[in-house]
Amino acid sequence: MMIPACRLEDLPRGEAHRLDIDPPVSVFHTDDGELFAIDDTCTHQDASLADGWLEGCEVECPLHASKFDLRTGAVDAPPAKLPVRTHEVVVEDGMIYVQPSTEAPNLPPCISARLAGGPA
Amino acid sequence: MRTVAVVGASLAGLSAARSLRKQGYDGRLVVIGDELHRPYDRPPLSKEFLAGRLGEAELALEADGEDLGAEWLLGVRAAGLDHARRAIRLADGREVSADGVVIATGAAARTLPGSEGLAGVHTLRTLDDARALRDELARGGRLVVIGGGFIGAEVASTAYALGLDVTVVEAAPTPLAGPLGETMGAIVSALHADHGVPLECGVGVKGLSGETRVDAVLLEDGRSIPADIVVVGVGARPNVEWLQGSGIVLDNGVKCGADGRTSLAGVVAVGDCANWYDPRAGFHRRVEHWTGARERPDAAVATLLAAGAVKPGVPRPPYFWSDQYGVKIQFAGHAAGADSVTIEAGTADDRDVLAVYRRAGDPVAVLGMNQPRLFMRRRKQLAATAS
């Protein structure tokens, strides 16, 4: 299932666009003009990576210091320990589409607990 | 270099061990830690862990299956550094020979003189401290937090959410004025009053009362505040006593260059015990922030492996965060040099501000309260203009 994100012309280089699906996914347009989609929530704590520090093919969580590789989803250093999922991105007729991964997401403990009905 | 010893097994020590391997060091690596625990993350100790929302397993800093090929000597304190013999003396009499040393011994919580041995009195620095405090908070009661700094405010906020009756006492007229300046220190510390947590400012603590267990905090103005539990959050001092007599220059911690080098060849220092030269400010600063403990080891290890032949890069402006009463507080830069502070987004009344500190018109620091997106943009600009 391809989900429309936004028009390519509306997403300048160096910016990110967040899709409010569950769990949210963000599309990043790097300074080099490449497009990547990853899970938007840092695997350490509830923070939107679309708000993060984009540099090259890495985005740093806006709260703490973990960086995620947009190409692989891999995390470089604590406090996050788990990677984020990556998703396929397709551009058709100037529109950006995301094909969500079917893998299970790595959500931070506070969100996992909330989804499981435990204490938030 | 055949053996490198990392003295200290917390974030700075682990980051140094990782940097060594990442930068190609394949020799013997010994990590010495005075606690029995594997490296763990401290920020949650005053927040999610204390509230019972995060368990000990989740505090681990090492990834599952991570193997740095290091020898871990845990539960033993370093007692001395013999530079001539290239050896670290341990408190149990053992010795570790090493031709490279990373000092990462951190800092210890300051205590209140005369409070030793009084039950119910806590400091919060280590996992063991946090376990003890968590167990006590779970029983409820009246908590007095001495010190309105970040640790004190976080503990107060967590305990308030747990339903305790909390009071904060701060000797300075405005809490957080040191790191945030008077104006923003007042706005951030107003979070206590927002939640009905009394904040007593500008009054010192004379002592504690109680026979075997604390029952009150005695203030210098003659008042006394009843307490079942007391948390002392009055700062930390660098753990460098073990380096006395080693010949290393100590000055508010281990005195270092902008690349982590110390006065001794083959010895670098990182984390809370290290007083690094700040090339932007033109003087030394000891920065007790998580981010510094995470990032600076990269530079210090490069220095160690290159025997000082590398030129240090300019580090990013210091950054720290805090979570209090559900508000995310973020700060980057140095407030001390600012001559003005302007709220550029949000309002102080709503506690969602983005404030920029300037000196002669140039941004030198930025504070965010629940403004992660704007804060990150400003932080990026700050790093770009400052480098």
Side-chain angles (χ1 to χ4, degrees):
Chain A
M1 180 192 53
M2 301 293 271
I3 300 175
C6 62
R7 297 201 62 78
L8 180 58
E9 63 187 8
D10 293 336
L11 184 62
R13 293 186 183 197
E15 296 286 328
H17 176 83
R18 192 174 112 120
L19 275 77
D20 287 316
I21 54 177
D22 191 23
V25 166
S26 281
V27 182
F28 292 85
H29 195 180
T30 68
D31 288 326
D32 292 335
E34 290 186 281
L35 291 169
F36 297 99
I38 61 173
D39 278 347
D40 180 64
T41 311
C42 175
T43 60
H44 165 245
Q45 213 175 65
D46 190 4
S48 168
L49 294 176
D51 292 345
W53 185 322
L54 180 62
E55 202 162 281
C57 280
E58 279 190 326
V59 62
E60 179 177 332
C61 171
L63 295 187
H64 304 146
S66 295
K67 290 179 192 163
F68 295 88
D69 189 317
L70 299 175
R71 295 161 296 195
T72 63
V75 63
D76 76 324
K81 278 180 284 188
L82 297 172
V84 288
R85 296 181 306 173
T86 57
H87 310 278
E88 199 188 328
V89 183
V90 176
V91 180
E92 262 174 34
D93 298 331
M95 190 72 192
I96 302 171
Y97 294 87
V98 172
Q99 169 80 58
S101 161
T102 52
E103 289 168 43
N106 292 317
L107 295 171
C110 52
I111 291 190
S112 311
R114 197 163 67 214
L115 292 179
Chain B
M1 203 162 278
R2 289 221 286 272
T3 301
V4 174
V6 176
V7 190
S10 191
L11 176 66
L14 175 67
S15 299
R18 281 179 169 156
S19 297
L20 280 159
R21 292 308 191 206
K22 213 185 298 172
Q23 293 181 33
Y25 173 72
D26 61 1
R28 182 174 175 233
L29 174 58
V30 183
V31 183
I32 300 160
D34 65 341
E35 293 179 66
L36 276 167
H37 312 292
R38 296 291 286 204
Y40 61 88
D41 208 22
R42 291 186 206 278
L45 295 182
S46 55
K47 306 187 267 281
E48 300 91 339
F49 179 80
L50 202 58
R53 289 202 308 272
L54 209 62
E56 289 183 19
E58 288 151 323
L59 295 178
L61 282 169
E62 293 164 284
D64 288 342
E66 179 174 3
D67 183 7
L68 292 167
E71 295 165 42
W72 294 82
L73 301 180
L74 297 177
V76 62
R77 185 176 287 273
L81 173 66
D82 186 334
H83 192 244
R85 293 177 48 244
R86 300 270 163 174
I88 292 154
R89 205 169 60 250
L90 303 182
D92 62 7
R94 281 183 291 174
E95 230 180 49
V96 175
S97 298
D99 38 9
V101 176
V102 180
I103 297 172
T105 41
R110 288 184 196 277
T111 53
L112 212 57
S115 65
E116 300 83 5
L118 202 56
V121 182
H122 298 260
T123 53
L124 180 52
R125 186 84 195 169
T126 66
L127 175 56
D128 293 340
D129 294 341
R131 280 175 179 166
L133 180 58
R134 184 190 57 187
D135 293 349
E136 200 141 66
L137 292 181
R139 290 200 290 271
R142 295 163 301 181
L143 168 70
V144 176
V145 177
I146 301 174
F150 286 107
I151 290 282
E154 288 172 5
V155 170
S157 148
T158 305
Y160 162 81
L162 290 172
L164 279 85
D165 174 5
V166 185
T167 303
V168 180
V169 182
E170 165 62 47
T174 310
L176 303 169
L180 303 184
E182 291 283 337
T183 311
M184 297 314 297
I187 290 170
V188 171
S189 59
L191 290 169
H192 296 297
D194 289 352
H195 295 83
V197 171
L199 171 63
E200 300 288 347
C201 290
V203 58
V205 169
K206 194 163 65 183
L208 304 176
S209 81
E211 292 292 320
T212 57
R213 185 176 177 91
V214 70
D215 59 33
V217 174
L218 309 175
L219 303 184
E220 277 174 347
D221 62 10
R223 285 180 297 158
S224 111
I225 306 175
D228 304 302
I229 310 165
V230 168
V231 171
V232 181
V234 294
R237 54 181 173 71
N239 289 323
V240 292
E241 294 86 353
W242 69 283
L243 294 165
Q244 298 284 351
S246 65
I248 201 165
V249 173
L250 299 176
D251 171 17
N252 182 27
V254 181
K255 199 169 181 184
C256 307
D259 53 2
R261 83 176 69 188
T262 69
S263 59
L264 298 179
V267 181
V268 294
V270 293
D272 291 3
C273 70
N275 189 15
W276 281 50
Y277 180 72
D278 182 337
R280 271 192 215 117
F283 50 82
H284 286 76
R285 308 184 198 262
R286 195 167 63 78
V287 176
E288 291 183 8
H289 297 159
W290 191 99
T291 322
R294 155 73 193 89
E295 292 176 351
R296 289 196 162 176
D298 289 342
V301 160
T303 302
L304 186 69
L305 295 179
V310 292
K311 194 173 176 297
V314 177
R316 298 196 291 183
Y319 164 65
F320 64 85
W321 71 85
S322 178
D323 295 281
Q324 298 171 26
Y325 302 99
V327 176
K328 224 158 256 318
I329 297 155
Q330 298 177 280
F331 187 89
H334 294 288
D339 51 34
S340 74
V341 55
T342 320
I343 294 176
E344 304 209 337
T347 64
D349 289 346
D350 293 340
R351 316 285 185 235
D352 69 347
V353 303
L354 192 284
V356 179
Y357 297 67
R358 290 189 171 79
R359 181 190 180 90
D362 296 326
V364 292
V366 55
L367 168 77
M369 294 174 79
N370 278 347
Q371 293 275 13
R373 173 178 281 242
L374 289 179
F375 177 84
M376 182 55 106
R377 289 186 177 184
R378 280 295 190 172
R379 183 183 168 204
K380 230 176 149 171
Q381 288 167 3
L382 194 65
T385 52
S387 59

